[in-house]
Amino acid sequence: MHGEYKVPGGKLVVVDLEVDDGLIRDFRLAGDFFLEPDTALEAINAAVDGMPVEADAATIAAAVRAALPEGAQLLGFSPETVGTVVRRALVTAPGWRDFDWEIVHEKAVSPRMNLALDEVLTARVGEGRRRPTLRIWEWNESAVVIGSFQSYRNEVDPEGAAKHGFDVVRRISGGGAMMMAAGQIITYSLYVPAALVQGMTFADSYAFLDDWVLQALRSVGIDATYQPLNDIASPTGKIGGAAQKRLANGGVLHHATISYDIDGQTMTEVLRIGREKLSDKGTTSAAKRVDPLRTQTGMERSEIIDRFKATFRALTGAEDGGITADEYAAAEALVESKFATDAWLHRVP
């Protein structure tokens, strides 16, 4: 069996192994990482060899860590990485290039329609009725998008939202509220089969699914990094955040919102950003928490989106695609039955 895992921001880690009577045998670790001393490689191989195939990633990582010689240096990977790639080898998890991808970037629609499209397209991928897809959002009005489990009254100032022309909507994924001013945000969604993230912890899947956009951001001069669990950041501040929803049919939604431009004062009037949250981020101002792409790059929003698409296309071989009339109709029906209803918006008062 063979498994590969590109560490987000790190190196490629490769394992080859056999399975004999429920045990891992002939285990061999390889990759373009750095490891000192040389004997540490033999120690890692010996630690994993003979482990039961049911061992989870954390158990494998603990065995590797315990076997490392004193003072060992692992650069570009970690014991947890070894655990992840072993699990992916055992379930024969595919990589990005093993799927036939498409990129969708279509007309501007309402915030509710964008959220409905996320649910519809994720379900279609899970059912095998759509290719795995990267979709770049465009929207025709500004909105505050709150997480599936957030309290409406705790997160949004309705008067401030109305004053500044922000609709308020609720998405199907968890996470925090996002202020999405039209033309000031870059939002993308990935609709992928669960097989792509097999063998990964939930946290690892966030980093894995956002690694391509970190590469795109670095290509325009931003030293972008992933900050667990779901932030994308640079040395000068937060850039954006991601969220996920996994459907029972095997479809996985991973979407992220990245700030291109932002009005920090408006943010404080629209969102009820608590002092505790700001304190946790090490700052006293909502405006300072986010450092948008426009100030860091000087590039037009369309130019950055083009770079995103080019990077994703180079990594996956994706082709340009579109949303079908049937998918739009299904999303419109879902807007009416769910996303436009008070019951959904206020399901957590």
Side-chain angles (χ1 to χ4, degrees):
M1 294 180 177
H2 177 86
E4 298 185 2
Y5 180 60
K6 169 65 169 59
V7 180
K11 298 296 185 178
L12 178 67
V13 179
V14 181
V15 299
D16 290 282
L17 58 91
E18 303 293 336
V19 173
D20 182 22
D21 197 22
L23 300 177
I24 297 171
R25 294 298 187 190
D26 297 325
F27 180 80
R28 299 174 302 283
L29 175 70
D32 61 356
F33 50 77
F34 299 92
L35 178 62
E36 294 290 345
D38 285 351
T39 56
L41 181 61
E42 299 171 7
I44 293 172
N45 287 341
V48 179
D49 205 277
M51 295 191 74
V53 294
E54 296 85 3
D56 61 17
T59 300
I60 296 167
V64 169
R65 182 171 284 105
L68 289 171
E70 185 176 354
Q73 298 292 313
L74 287 68
L75 302 177
F77 79 118
S78 68
E80 286 71 24
T81 305
V82 178
T84 295
V85 71
V86 170
R87 290 311 315 165
R88 286 178 63 77
L90 289 169
V91 298
T92 59
W96 292 95
R97 284 275 180 174
D98 293 315
F99 294 99
D100 184 17
W101 291 88
E102 69 177 64
I103 297 174
V104 171
H105 188 193
E106 293 201 344
K107 63 184 180 181
V109 296
S110 71
R112 291 181 175 88
M113 187 65 170
N114 271 311
L115 297 176
L117 282 169
D118 266 1
E119 185 166 341
V120 168
L121 299 183
T122 304
R124 295 290 173 97
V125 169
E127 294 163 358
R129 298 167 62 190
R130 158 170 281 277
R131 295 187 290 176
T133 302
L134 165 67
R135 180 172 74 94
I136 308 294
W137 292 29
E138 296 293 349
W139 55 100
N140 55 19
E141 59 182 308
S142 299
V144 173
V145 183
I146 60 176
S148 180
F149 311 108
Q150 287 190 296
S151 163
Y152 177 93
R153 69 165 65 100
N154 289 344
E155 296 297 327
V156 182
D157 183 331
E159 293 182 0
K163 171 186 173 182
H164 292 285
F166 281 81
D167 193 8
V168 183
V169 294
R170 185 185 295 276
R171 63 181 184 265
I172 62 173
S173 62
M178 301 298 295
M179 192 181 83
M180 301 175 63
Q184 295 184 9
I185 294 291
I186 298 173
T187 296
Y188 64 84
S189 295
L190 285 169
Y191 314 113
V192 307
L196 181 62
V197 292
Q198 273 189 305
M200 297 184 196
T201 65
F202 197 71
D204 282 345
S205 72
Y206 270 83
F208 178 77
L209 293 174
D210 275 335
D211 189 53
W212 71 274
V213 84
L214 299 186
Q215 295 183 47
L217 290 167
R218 290 168 189 153
S219 76
V220 298
I222 297 176
D223 185 15
T225 58
Y226 166 75
Q227 302 292 330
L229 172 65
N230 61 336
D231 282 355
I232 298 170
S234 76
T236 54
K238 179 178 175 179
I239 299 171
Q244 279 187 22
K245 178 67 176 180
R246 303 190 179 202
L247 303 186
N249 70 1
V252 176
L253 165 65
H254 179 95
H255 49 194
T257 294
I258 300 176
S259 294
Y260 171 70
D261 201 359
I262 195 165
D263 183 335
Q265 183 59 43
T266 299
M267 179 188 287
T268 63
E269 296 177 16
V270 172
L271 301 181
R272 300 188 191 277
I273 303 175
R275 292 181 181 178
E276 181 178 351
K277 184 171 184 179
L278 292 174
S279 176
D280 286 345
K281 300 296 183 179
T283 183
T284 58
S285 166
K288 293 179 181 177
R289 289 186 62 222
V290 180
D291 192 20
L293 302 187
R294 184 175 185 177
T295 60
Q296 294 197 54
T297 68
M299 296 173 66
E300 294 295 325
R301 178 177 177 272
S302 60
E303 293 179 295
I304 295 175
I305 289 175
D306 286 343
R307 187 65 62 90
F308 279 17
K309 291 191 288 187
T311 300
F312 190 82
R313 189 175 290 111
L315 292 172
T316 65
E319 300 175 345
D320 290 337
I323 299 171
T324 67
D326 177 63
E327 289 167 338
Y328 273 123
E332 288 171 357
L334 198 55
V335 169
E336 292 298 318
S337 65
K338 180 176 182 177
F339 289 101
T341 66
D342 283 341
W344 173 252
L345 179 61
H346 297 282
R347 78 185 193 102
V348 183

